[in-house]
Structures are given as C-alpha cells and as structure tokens.
Amino acid sequence: MNIVIKEISSKNDIKRFIRFQIEHYKGNNYFVPPIINDEIETFSKDKNPAFVEIDAKLFVALIDNKIVGRIVAINNLPANRKYGTKNIRFGWFESIDNYEVAKLLFDEVKKYAISLDMQTITGPHGFCDFDPQGMLVEGFDKLGTIAGIYNYKYYNDFVTKYGFQKDIDYVEFLSEPPYSDGIPQKMLDMAEWAKKRYGYKLIQYGKSKDYLK
C-alpha cells in the first residue's frame, strides 16, 4: 500500500480536505458535520485574521489519489511569545484506521517543527485558543458539541503510540434548560429581533445548499 503525503493550498484541494472529514464519519450518529463555507473561510488567508500572525501547513495522506487522512501544522507566533515556548501545534487531524497513515501525517508536523527549531508539538488545537481543541477519550456515544472535537476511539491509540502524552482532562456536562413549558416567549422574541436587526438566518441541514458550496 503506497501512502503519499501531499501539502495542499489550492481552494479545490482545501474543499477535498474539508469533505474528507464529512465522508469519514458518514453513518456516525454522533458526529456533527461542519458548515463547509465556514471551514473554507477558516483556511482562507484573506478571510481569517489569524493568518496575520500564524503560519500553517495543510497536509493530506493519499492512497490511489484518494484522501485517507489529513492534518494541519500550526506555528502560533503570539502564543509562543506569550508563553515563552517553541511549540508547533497540530490540528484538524483525521485518519482512517491505519496507524501508518497517522504516523506519516505526524511525521510531517515533526519535520515542520524541526525546520523551525521548535522544541515541542502539542495538539489537537485550532489556530487560536478560541477554536475547538482536545481529543475525545470518552463519550463516543454522545452527540458532538460545538466546543469539542469528535473523533473515533482509535485516535487515542495512534497518538499514544506515536509518543504523545496527555496533558490535561477537559470535562463536558449536559445541562437541560429549566423550562417545563419550553423556551420562554421573551427569549424567542429576542432571537427574532436579532435575526432581523443583524440579518442572521438559520440554515437547515439537508434543506439548504449554503453549507455545501
């Protein structure tokens, strides 16, 4: 099996990069797919202000020209200055259930770190600390949340085998709203006001093409 690692930057390749995650979790009842337009803007240097002070390299793993894995190597310059570190982050990691694919992707991040004389690699992260981060270690049978990253259970085996060590545990809790009669009308009215005032609209998955561009 010939695995090819390719650095990407074109818009078409980035779309394939994004769609791989959606295809990878097809049929999984707990993964919440991203809005593709939002993901494209995240990786667009003219749209995402993070690129003013952050460098990133996007890589995909290919078998017979089909994407089987992906990763982003991130040099967060402000974070390194603030914390006095020489660290490279990795994020947006996905891989089929094949350790060799994951290893080759991690190797690319390692090469990038060495080229910049960095001392550590941490992840998964986003470009900044406001992005989702971390790796799911429990709760694979729970619906993914906006603050976390959903992943398959075997990802933990891959990062451990490569040599990464857990730094900290994040804990999420499910809290039900204390409204026996549903959401109060006042809150619904406020939501409608905000939609009209700022031009917001709700996108229904499966009913709009806005998230499929």
Side-chain angles (χ1 to χ4, degrees):
M1 179 172 53
N2 185 29
I3 303 169
V4 176
I5 304 297
K6 176 185 176 183
E7 182 179 353
I8 64 167
S9 59
S10 72
K11 189 171 183 178
N12 284 338
D13 281 341
I14 290 174
K15 283 183 178 180
R16 290 183 66 198
F17 177 98
I18 294 166
R19 288 183 180 276
F20 169 69
Q21 183 191 39
I22 298 172
E23 295 165 0
H24 186 48
Y25 291 99
K26 186 175 181 180
N28 185 300
N29 294 326
Y30 308 107
F31 170 73
V32 180
I35 297 174
I36 293 178
N37 282 356
D38 287 350
E39 289 288 277
I40 290 174
E41 290 190 1
T42 295
F43 296 110
S44 300
K45 294 184 177 181
D46 59 340
K47 296 284 188 179
N48 189 346
F51 282 105
V52 173
E53 288 197 276
I54 290 176
D55 295 323
K57 291 181 177 291
L58 282 67
F59 299 97
V60 293
L62 303 164
I63 296 178
D64 296 330
N65 202 38
K66 179 182 178 181
I67 296 179
V68 293
R70 68 176 197 175
I71 203 166
V72 181
I74 305 162
N75 183 14
N76 188 317
L77 301 172
N80 281 330
R81 287 197 299 266
K82 179 178 179 181
Y83 300 115
T85 54
K86 299 182 71 176
N87 181 63
I88 288 293
R89 301 178 170 201
F90 76 84
W92 287 275
F93 167 70
E94 302 287 355
S95 171
I96 62 171
D97 192 0
N98 182 314
Y99 174 69
E100 188 62 24
V101 171
K103 179 184 180 301
L104 290 175
L105 290 169
F106 291 139
D107 283 347
E108 290 300 323
V109 179
K110 185 177 179 179
K111 291 175 188 176
Y112 183 49
I114 291 173
S115 72
L116 297 176
D117 194 31
M118 295 296 181
Q119 297 174 342
T120 56
I121 299 172
T122 58
H125 295 286
F127 291 126
C128 69
D129 291 339
F130 291 107
D131 292 324
Q133 56 185 313
M135 181 170 285
L136 196 65
V137 297
E138 294 180 12
F140 301 100
D141 59 344
K142 300 293 187 297
L143 191 67
T145 67
I146 193 171
I149 299 173
Y150 188 87
N151 54 264
Y152 286 121
K153 188 175 182 179
Y154 63 82
Y155 282 28
N156 298 287
D157 298 330
F158 287 174
V159 295
T160 301
K161 186 173 181 178
Y162 193 79
F164 289 105
Q165 296 178 344
K166 183 170 67 174
D167 181 54
I168 192 172
D169 281 315
Y170 292 99
V171 181
E172 293 183 322
F173 296 93
L174 177 64
S175 178
E176 298 288 350
Y179 309 124
S180 57
D181 297 327
I183 300 174
Q185 187 61 44
K186 185 176 181 179
M187 294 182 68
L188 295 174
D189 292 341
M190 290 174 62
E192 286 300 316
W193 176 86
K195 285 166 60 178
K196 294 177 181 178
R197 175 68 174 80
Y198 298 104
Y200 293 130
K201 64 177 179 179
L202 296 177
I203 297 176
Q204 298 295 324
Y205 278 86
K207 297 181 180 180
S208 172
K209 295 182 179 180
D210 289 344
Y211 74 101
L212 294 174
K213 295 180 181 177

